[in-house]
Amino acid sequence: EKIKIIKNLETKISKSKSPEEIIFLKLRIEEIKEQSKNVPNIKNIIIHNALKTICAFANTTGGRLLLGVSDDKKIFGLEKDYANLKKSKGIGKERDDFGELFDQKVKEYFGESFSPTILEKKFLKFPEGDIYIIDVKPSIDEIHILKNEKGDPEETIYVRHSRSSEKLKGIELSKFIKSKYRDSINVTL
């Protein structure tokens, strides 16, 4: 969202003839960029969003998550993530380190009993950078995510509705679990 705002402001700068307005717009762009640097818990929020999507896919009909691609389908790559890992040693090791971190977060957020057979993962290289593709198969059992956006313990079930992951509560959670239980009985019969 902030990138879109910045691009809109940059367009206004290119069309503006007023030096005062150009200065104001440039200051506003810098202010927005600075805000982006200081978002509290941004790392946990990003990790949680990716993993809640996996949870939602596993609890419904499966799906594909692309890391390194924006919601508007533009590739930005994982190279900044690689740089943040700071333990990479040599060409090609960045992918291994990222994959290892991803697997560690899956265990942390889903627990040791989460079946790795639900996920198929691979990297693809594009001129804009690497992307990580995670294909999620539907799970017979309901899948809980064990942490919230802050990284604190919290057991939650997410399901996929259209293009978003929805947290289930109350009656909707009860209906979902009953439906999963009914489906698993029908599969075994």
Side-chain angles (χ1 to χ4, degrees), residues 103-189:
D103 290 344
Q104 174 190 345
K105 292 299 176 185
V106 166
K107 283 182 186 174
E108 191 178 313
Y109 277 73
F110 295 114
E112 293 291 331
S113 64
F114 182 78
S115 174
T117 61
I118 291 175
L119 305 178
E120 291 181 10
K121 306 165 283 192
K122 65 182 172 187
F123 287 95
L124 279 180
K125 180 85 173 147
F126 288 90
E128 299 88 345
D130 285 354
I131 66 169
Y132 198 45
I133 301 170
I134 301 117
D135 286 315
V136 184
K137 296 176 186 172
S139 173
I140 294 170
D141 300 314
E142 62 273 0
I143 301 296
H144 296 76
I145 192 166
L146 305 176
K147 292 187 175 191
N148 63 19
E149 300 84 14
K150 296 177 184 174
D152 297 331
E154 178 182 293
E155 293 181 21
T156 308
I157 290 180
Y158 287 89
V159 294
R160 199 74 179 161
H161 287 293
S162 187
R163 295 182 53 122
S164 65
S165 300
E166 302 292 326
K167 185 185 223 180
L168 292 183
K169 296 186 247 179
I171 293 170
E172 292 303 316
L173 177 58
S174 177
K175 287 178 184 177
F176 171 75
I177 292 173
K178 285 178 185 176
S179 171
K180 274 284 197 187
Y181 180 71
R182 252 191 321 268
D183 291 348
S184 69
I185 288 175
N186 290 337
V187 168
T188 56
L189 295 177

Side-chain angles (χ1 to χ4, degrees), residues 72-83:
D72 60 354
K73 300 179 178 124
K74 291 186 180 158
I75 296 172
F76 56 85
L78 297 171
E79 282 64 25
K80 287 184 181 179
D81 296 291
Y82 295 162

Side-chain angles (χ1 to χ4, degrees), residues 45-55 65 67 102 110:
I45 292 168
I46 291 169
I47 290 168
H48 183 270
N49 280 336
L51 294 171
K52 85 174 182 184
T53 301
I54 289 171
C55 179
L65 178 64
L67 301 181
F102 179 82
F110 295 114

